[in-house]
């Protein structure tokens, strides 16, 4: 008999694509990608990033989805089942623990930044009704970061909308949310790229993004690009494994995975093409923008544009929606695990995990103001959490997932889950997860550690 998930199932292939793309497309694409490109030499970074997506990211994405669909449970239990079934060491289930811990760490700061997007969307909404304009964007941004109470409240609001969706479950919560949020997101993005084109700087933006300056490629660029590839595809912490657990049997994993990877990459590049023309048109240096890039430069542009308030609302609304459909995917794996442990309803499980993440997020909030002097390895607390989660735990999780799928799993399971994949592609995929992806990830991990 076919196994199904106790948490519910996606009602169709499209529902999965929207949910997985919703998870993948987030702050990583619209906030992080542009400033990473900006800080790491534009085109040089983008090319390395694209290579990482298709050589490492897509194969690992396929691996995660197939593990999830075979096990049909939360990551830790799926992995435990699989180790039993294949006679592999139980220790592999540690991948699930890495995932849950990384998820809590990521959601803690993700929700803080999600709070910024809500705050900005709110500022523009108020402006529409006669509120004060953001006349000095640099000062507005600094003032927000300097105020721990304000930050904690927006962080709380963001966490509440996240938990609200997850508490409602897979079909009534996640699927329903993404099926109207994702189309809205694509529409907003296209409108903004359309505006970018009217500035006359689309060509210059494209040149900045796509003309590689090889002298800028360094070990650091590789570390940033691979870390970003994992982060943007939501890999390495079993999010995609969890979403795979709810995927109907008859859907092709490689094709669906490819759609998600291409859509995610497309959104990042489009976001770049929406943002950089505006940045350039308003005489801001596209290089070296840092995490504040879009929060400090775009409002300048929106001030000077006709209908800038509407565009501002659109942009930060877009960013909020993108962050929201991602944060639910950060909360879902831990919630599903708690439900399986028993004695808790989904509602209580989601609230508990969100509470833990909110509390931990206060560390990131304080690192922006009262505790900004606390620094280690040249990073503040928020930067350190990001370093541990994004640059260490995600690649490590991805490495172990690739090795487990490639070497420990019975070939019959792979063939059953990847039925319909052409033999050539199957072999290619298998060697990518067995050898190529692990070696590349290992090289990057060593680069971070040494
Ligand atoms: N991919 C999302 C983004 O680009 C963030 C995200 C959601 C994520 N779920 C994840 C990152 C799981 C790593 C792992 O913003």
């Amino acid at each position: 008999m076919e196994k199904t998930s106790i948490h519910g199932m996606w009602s169709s292939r499209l529902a999965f694509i929207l949910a997985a793309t919703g998870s993948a497309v987030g702050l990583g694409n619209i906030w992080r990608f542009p400033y990473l490109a900006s800080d790491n030499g534009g085109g040089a970074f983008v090319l390395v990033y694209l290579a990482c997506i298709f050589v490492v990211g897509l194969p690992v994405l396929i691996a995660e989805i197939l593990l999830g669909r075979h096990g049909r449970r939360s990551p830790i239990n799926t992995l435990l089942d699989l180790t039993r079934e294949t006679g592999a060491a139980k220790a592999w289930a540690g991948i699930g623990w890495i995932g849950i811990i990384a998820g809590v760490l990521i959601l803690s700061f993700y929700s803080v930044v999600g709070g910024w997007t809500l705050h900005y969307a709110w500022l523009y909404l108020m402006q529409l009704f006669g509120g004060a304009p953001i006349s000095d964007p640099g000062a507005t941004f600094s003032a927000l970061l300097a105020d721990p109470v304000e930050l904690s409240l927006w962080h709380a609001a963001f966490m509440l909308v996240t938990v609200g969706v997850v508490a409602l479950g897979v079909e009534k919560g996640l699927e329903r949310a993404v099926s109207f949020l994702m189309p809205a997101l694509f529409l907003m993005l296209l409108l903004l790229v359309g505006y970018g084109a009217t500035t006359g700087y689309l060509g210059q933006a494209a040149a900045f993004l796509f003309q590689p300056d090889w002298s800028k490629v360094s070990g650091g660029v590789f570390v940033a690009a691979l870390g970003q590839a994992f982060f943007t595809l939501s890999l390495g912490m079993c999010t995609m494994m969890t979403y795979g657990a709810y995927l109907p049997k008859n859907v092709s994993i490689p094709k669906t995975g490819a759609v998600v990877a291409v859509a995610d990459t497309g959104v990042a590049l489009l976001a770049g093409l929406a943002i950089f023309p505006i940045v350039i048109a308003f005489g801001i240096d596209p290089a070296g923008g840092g995490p504040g890039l879009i929060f400090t430069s775009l409002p300048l542009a929106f001030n000077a544009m006709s209908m800038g308030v509407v565009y501002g609302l659109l942009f930060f609304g877009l960013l909020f929606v993108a962050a929201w459909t991602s944060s639910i995917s950060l909360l879902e794996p831990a919630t599903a695990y708690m439900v399986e442990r028993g004695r808790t309803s989904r509602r209580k499980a989601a609230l508990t995990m969100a509470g833990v993440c909110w509390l931990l997020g206060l560390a990131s909030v304080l690192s922006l103001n009262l505790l900004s002097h606390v620094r280690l390895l040249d990073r503040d607390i928020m930067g350190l959490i990001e370093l541990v989660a994004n640059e260490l735990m995600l690649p490590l999780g991805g490495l172990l997932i690739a090795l487990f799928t490639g070497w420990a799993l019975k070939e019959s399971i792979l063939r059953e889950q990847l039925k319909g994949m052409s033999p050539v592609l199957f072999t290619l995929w298998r060697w990518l997860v067995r050898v190529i992806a692990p070696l590349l990830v290992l090289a990057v991990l060593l680069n971070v550690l040494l």
Side-chain angles (χ1 to χ4, degrees), residues 75-81 83 89-98 404:
I76 294 175
N77 287 325
T78 282
L79 290 160
L80 277 176
D81 289 351
T83 54
K90 252 174 92 176
W92 285 109
I95 297 172
W97 283 106
I98 296 180
F404 180 66

Side-chain angles (χ1 to χ4, degrees), residues 27 29 33 41 46 54 57 77 111 125 154 179 194 235 239 248 262-263 348 355 360 366 375 403 415 423 425 438 441:
L27 295 171
N29 304 59
F33 172 76
V46 175
F54 291 99
N77 287 325
S111 168
L125 186 68
W154 287 109
S179 53
L235 295 178
T239 279
V262 169
K348 279 201 197 119
L360 190 63
L366 292 175
R375 296 181 78 86
L403 290 176
R415 293 217 177 265
L425 283 181
V441 177

Side-chain angles (χ1 to χ4, degrees), residues 363 365-375 379-381:
V365 163
L366 292 175
S367 84
L368 296 167
N369 35 67
L370 301 179
L371 298 180
S372 60
H373 56 280
V374 181
R375 296 181 78 86
R379 306 216 182 195
D380 59 13
I381 300 173

Side-chain angles (χ1 to χ4, degrees), residues 291-334:
L293 177 71
I294 59 171
F295 292 96
T296 52
S297 68
L298 292 183
L300 277 180
F302 296 141
N303 282 344
M305 287 158 54
S306 61
M307 300 226 306
V309 178
V310 175
Y311 276 102
L313 181 58
L314 259 178
F315 180 81
F316 288 104
L318 162 83
L319 195 55
F320 161 65
V321 166
W324 189 13
T325 55
S326 298
S327 60
I328 57 182
S329 78
L330 285 161
L331 189 57
E332 176 64 24

Side-chain angles (χ1 to χ4, degrees), residues 177-221:
V178 296
S179 53
F180 72 90
L181 292 176
M182 293 311 288
L185 189 146
F186 284 115
L187 193 70
M188 290 191 272
L189 187 58
L190 290 181
L191 279 174
L192 285 166
V193 178
Y195 177 80
T198 67
T199 60
Y201 289 97
L202 199 59
Q204 236 172 296
F208 177 73
L209 280 174
F210 300 116
Q211 261 172 27
D213 175 354
W214 295 116
S215 68
K216 296 242 171 77
V217 178
S218 62
V221 170

Side-chain angles (χ1 to χ4, degrees), residues 207-428:
F208 177 73
L209 280 174
F210 300 116
Q211 261 172 27
D213 175 354
W214 295 116
S215 68
K216 296 242 171 77
V217 178
S218 62
V221 170
F222 268 94
V223 175
L226 189 82
Q228 173 65 2
F230 275 101
F231 187 80
T232 191
L233 289 176
S234 305
L235 295 178
M237 63 144 280
C238 309
T239 279
M240 290 299 181
M241 202 186 290
T242 308
Y243 275 18
Y246 314 147
L247 180 66
K249 184 81 208 171
N250 51 5
V251 175
S252 157
I253 292 177
K255 279 192 202 140
T256 313
V259 170
V260 173
V262 169
D264 179 68
T265 309
V267 171
L269 298 178
L270 281 176
L273 290 178
I275 292 165
F276 284 112
I278 300 181
V279 167
I280 297 169
F282 286 86
I284 300 159
D285 186 358
L293 177 71
I294 59 171
F295 292 96
T296 52
S297 68
L298 292 183
L300 277 180
F302 296 141
N303 282 344
M305 287 158 54
S306 61
M307 300 226 306
V309 178
V310 175
Y311 276 102
L313 181 58
L314 259 178
F315 180 81
F316 288 104
L318 162 83
L319 195 55
F320 161 65
V321 166
W324 189 13
T325 55
S326 298
S327 60
I328 57 182
S329 78
L330 285 161
L331 189 57
E332 176 64 24
T335 302
Y337 178 63
M338 264 188 85
V339 171
E340 283 170 18
R341 287 286 297 254
R343 291 195 291 274
T344 24
S345 63
R346 167 172 277 267
R347 259 189 34 216
K348 279 201 197 119
L351 269 173
T352 310
M353 291 315 304
V356 170
C357 295
W358 184 80
L359 280 175
L360 190 63
L362 295 181
S364 290
V365 163
L366 292 175
S367 84
L368 296 167
N369 35 67
L370 301 179
L371 298 180
S372 60
H373 56 280
V374 181
R375 296 181 78 86
L376 196 71
L377 303 170
D378 206 25
R379 306 216 182 195
D380 59 13
I381 300 173
M382 187 166 171
L384 280 174
I385 297 180
E386 230 186 305
L387 171 76
V388 170
N390 292 5
E391 269 146 56
L392 292 175
M393 295 183 83
L394 295 184
L396 180 66
L399 171 70
L400 295 174
I401 287 166
L403 290 176
F404 180 66
T405 314
W407 297 98
L409 222 54
K410 274 197 234 140
E411 190 168 329
S412 59
I413 295 181
L414 302 181
R415 293 217 177 265
E416 180 199 329
Q417 289 299 333
L418 300 179
K419 225 175 1 201
M421 195 178 190
S422 81
V424 177
L425 283 181
F426 180 82
T427 310
L428 175 67

